[in-house]
Each structure stands twice: as structure tokens, then as C-alpha cells.
Amino acid sequence: MIEIRWHGRGGQGAKTASLLLADAAFNTGKYIQGFPEYGPERMGAPITAYNRISDTPIRIHSNIYEPDYVVVVDDTLLETVNVTAGLKATGAIVINSTKSVQEIKPLLKNYNGKIYTIDARKISTQTIGRYFPNTPMLAAIVKISGIMSDDEFLNDMKTSFKHKFAKKPEVIEGNMEALKLTLQQIKQ
């Protein structure tokens, strides 16, 4: 079983990305869970979302305390939230940031596992025309976790976006380009 914890701010799409990941994994025959954890927060407040993905039925129904992977949608959270709490040393963290790993590492509470960064702002504004960090971050976690192949992921997301954006088909191409660009640019 692969467990993923997402850290973001309300309105950045961490919850949506975790649900899209769950749908994509389900469509490849996996057992899945995708759920958020938040209270009465408002736009901009820290939120957490989770994914469990497995080849066998999932019998656990709790938050994830020892994730294999962590996704940080907003790097300002590194200074206020212990995003590496419980993160397995054999796992990895992927962070939306323009900073280098050397600049980020001191903020990760002595975490010694793999660290990946992607500039989701640049990718989303270049491809979608606006800042939507969740699309690049979704592609980033799929790439580093190996949950599914790039082709399976892109095919599933195209179908998902056609449904999700049925009333706004003009945004599908930009979102697909954001996914493809992220798959090429994610770096450790």
C-alpha cells in the first residue's frame, strides 16, 4: 500500500488533486482512498488531504501518520507546518518551490529522504494561463511514486478533464500540457 499526505492551503486544489489521483488509480484497477482533513477553514488556511492506494482491499480508515510520500503545494507551509512528520525515510517529499533543495533542506526537520521540487507556478501560468498548482503537483506525485505509467496517467486525466471541464473545454488542453511538462521537469 502507498500512503500519500498532501499539504496545501484552502483554494489551491490539494483536495481536488488527491481525489483526481484516487480516481486515476482506481481506473487502473487499484483500491483507493482519497479524503481531506479540514474544519471550518477559509481560503488560504492550511489543509491536509490523503491518499491510500493498494493492490488489495484497504481496511484502514484513519488519517495517515506515516506516509510514504508527502506533497507540499505551497512552500510557505514549510515554515509553519511539520510536513515531514512521520514521513518514511524510504519515501520522498515533492515541493512546489523555486528554491533549491539546499535552501529547502533546513526547513524539513532533519528529513534525510528524497526531496523533489517543481515550479508549479511557472508551469501552470505558462500552460493554463493562471496559477493552479494542483495540476502540476498531481503529475509530480504520480511520476515520483510510480503509481502508474505516464501514458496511463495522461490518458486517464484526459478523460477526467473532459468530464470535469465539460462546460469549459478550453481549459483541457492547458491542463494536459501542465501535466506533460511536469512529468518532464520534476527534479530530485
Side-chain angles (χ1 to χ4, degrees):
M1 179 168 28
I2 295 173
E3 294 183 311
I4 301 167
R5 188 174 62 218
W6 297 74
H7 292 278
R9 293 190 181 277
Q12 291 180 324
K15 173 186 147 189
T16 300
S18 76
L19 297 177
L20 285 169
L21 177 59
D23 285 345
F26 177 78
N27 292 335
T28 65
K30 306 271 190 208
Y31 292 88
I32 56 96
Q33 288 180 353
F35 55 98
E37 173 191 35
Y38 54 88
E41 283 88 352
R42 61 194 184 287
M43 186 81 82
I47 68 109
T48 308
Y50 305 93
N51 286 110
R52 283 192 179 93
I53 301 167
S54 178
D55 292 326
T56 59
I58 301 169
R59 307 229 186 272
I60 303 167
H61 297 285
S62 67
N63 289 348
I64 295 171
Y65 300 103
E66 294 182 352
D68 298 291
Y69 299 96
V70 168
V71 181
V72 181
V73 181
D74 186 324
D75 68 352
T76 64
L77 293 170
L78 298 176
E79 297 173 20
T80 58
V81 176
N82 184 4
V83 297
T84 58
L87 178 57
K88 295 175 183 169
T90 56
I93 186 168
V94 59
I95 303 164
N96 170 19
S97 185
T98 58
K99 297 175 183 164
S100 70
V101 171
Q102 292 75 23
E103 292 172 283
I104 291 171
K105 198 158 175 61
L107 301 172
L108 298 181
K109 313 275 189 256
N110 298 317
Y111 175 69
N112 291 315
K114 294 177 184 171
I115 302 167
Y116 295 84
T117 60
I118 191 75
D119 187 348
R121 177 180 300 275
K122 181 179 176 187
I123 289 172
S124 66
T125 54
Q126 177 183 333
T127 57
I128 302 169
R130 291 180 56 199
Y131 182 42
F132 290 109
N134 61 336
T135 301
M137 298 310 289
L138 173 59
I141 192 59
V142 167
K143 184 70 169 185
I144 67 166
S145 66
I147 293 168
M148 65 189 78
S149 73
D150 291 359
D151 288 339
E152 283 178 309
F153 173 63
L154 292 172
N155 289 335
D156 190 83
M157 291 313 300
K158 186 164 189 129
T159 302
S160 182
F161 286 158
K162 282 181 182 177
H163 175 73
K164 181 175 174 54
F165 299 123
K167 295 186 193 273
K168 299 188 283 184
E170 66 277 6
V171 302
I172 295 170
E173 187 177 327
N175 275 278
M176 289 304 298
E177 283 305 310
L179 296 174
K180 291 174 188 171
L181 202 54
T182 302
L183 291 172
Q184 295 167 2
Q185 290 187 8
I186 188 72
K187 58 186 174 217
Q188 185 176 347

